[in-house]
Amino acid sequence: EPEVTQTPSHQVTQMGQEVILRCVPISNHLYFYWYRQILGQKVEFLVSFYNNEISEKSEIFDDQFSVERPDGSNFTLKIRSTKLEDSAMYFCASSEQGPASNEKLFFGSGTQLSVL
Amino acid sequence: DAKTTQPNSMESNEEEPVHLPCNHSTISGTDYIHWYRQLPSQGPEYVIHGLTSNVNNRMASLAIAEDRKSSTLILHRATLRDAAVYYCILRDVLTGGNQFYFGTGTSLTVIP
């Protein structure tokens, strides 16, 4: 069964450093998302992306964050200057049908980001 | 987005059916009811969704009350691999945008 893959599974970085989290969505999907989950807290929406541009973003997704689809398969989340509070599990997701009330999201297993 | 209310935790014996309730008394006519689950150390996983009628798939069944103010996710035969947090989510992109709003869900423990 096709799946969303994320690399790396764990990323440790120093505060202030840039990190790039990578995702390979399901091949025929056109809509891409990043969510995050701080330890013990809810899964939170960060951003949605379609047709090479952001379609929606949350308050969390400030100027330190950016997303890109550099080629036909990868979807990346960059954090420009990491802060301690960026430590979380980051989930990539994709969907085939796009933002519809009956949309189904497919999530990856996540990248655990630890900022020291 | 319309709110949902779920019990914090539930337990079930292995190989028995599990009924996970969700209350959504403020649901609107265009809200779809979605269920996702999150296994330990995994991303959320789609389980099932519906609008008005009961739905069945290979993973579960979704029973929706006639007034749509509540729904129940039914796992017909719980296995140890079903131990997860189950999220009941209402979704209407016209009012709620692109986001899925994950609450705290119900943590299901399956007892061998």
Side-chain angles (χ1 to χ4, degrees):
Chain A
E1 187 171 320
E3 59 181 20
V4 175
T5 57
Q6 291 186 243
T7 55
S9 56
H10 292 87
Q11 174 91 48
V12 180
T13 189
Q14 297 290 324
M15 192 169 56
Q17 294 296 304
E18 174 184 288
V19 293
I20 298 176
L21 309 182
R22 302 180 192 281
C23 168
V24 178
I26 294 172
S27 63
N28 65 329
H29 286 188
L30 300 177
Y31 300 86
F32 314 116
Y33 306 86
W34 285 99
Y35 283 75
R36 80 171 187 190
Q37 187 173 31
I38 295 170
L39 185 63
Q41 298 188 23
K42 300 176 186 177
V43 177
E44 301 174 292
F45 170 80
L46 292 179
V47 66
S48 58
F49 189 87
Y50 168 68
N51 201 26
N52 279 322
E53 60 182 32
I54 291 172
S55 48
E56 186 173 330
K57 60 183 180 179
S58 72
E59 291 179 356
I60 302 169
F61 194 88
D62 61 21
D63 292 344
Q64 293 298 315
F65 291 87
S66 62
V67 288
E68 193 179 28
R69 188 149 162 86
D71 52 42
S73 60
N74 289 287
F75 179 52
T76 62
L77 174 69
K78 182 193 292 187
I79 308 175
R80 200 158 294 121
S81 176
T82 50
K83 301 187 282 259
L84 295 175
E85 53 264 38
D86 294 327
S87 296
M89 181 73 90
Y90 288 80
F91 296 109
C92 174
S94 68
S95 75
E96 183 179 9
Q97 67 196 106
S101 297
N102 60 348
E103 178 185 22
K104 289 185 343 185
L105 288 191
F106 294 82
F107 285 82
S109 295
T111 293
Q112 178 64 56
L113 176 65
S114 298
V115 182
L116 306 179
Chain B
D1 61 306
K3 288 187 179 295
T4 63
T5 304
Q6 300 177 253
N8 288 333
S9 62
M10 290 184 65
E11 284 186 353
S12 172
N13 293 318
E14 195 177 10
E15 299 191 4
E16 290 189 358
V18 184
H19 291 234
L20 297 164
C22 181
N23 287 319
H24 28 78
S25 58
T26 58
I27 191 170
S28 73
T30 50
D31 279 323
Y32 274 77
I33 303 162
H34 291 255
W35 284 83
Y36 280 75
R37 71 180 185 181
Q38 188 174 19
L39 280 65
S41 302
Q42 296 290 316
E45 175 187 29
Y46 168 81
V47 178
I48 201 166
H49 75 274
L51 182 60
T52 55
S53 304
N54 294 344
V55 186
N56 300 295
N57 67 20
R58 63 177 179 83
M59 288 182 70
S61 295
L62 176 59
I64 301 172
E66 199 168 329
D67 64 5
R68 300 210 327 125
K69 293 183 186 296
S70 66
S71 60
T72 302
L73 179 70
I74 303 165
L75 306 179
H76 295 286
R77 212 163 147 257
T79 69
L80 296 178
R81 287 179 296 175
D82 292 321
V85 178
Y86 287 78
Y87 300 99
C88 171
I89 303 168
L90 300 184
R91 179 166 168 81
D92 178 4
V93 293
L94 295 178
T95 58
N98 292 358
Q99 306 181 32
F100 277 82
Y101 293 92
F102 288 85
T104 53
T106 296
S107 179
L108 176 67
T109 300
V110 180
I111 301 167

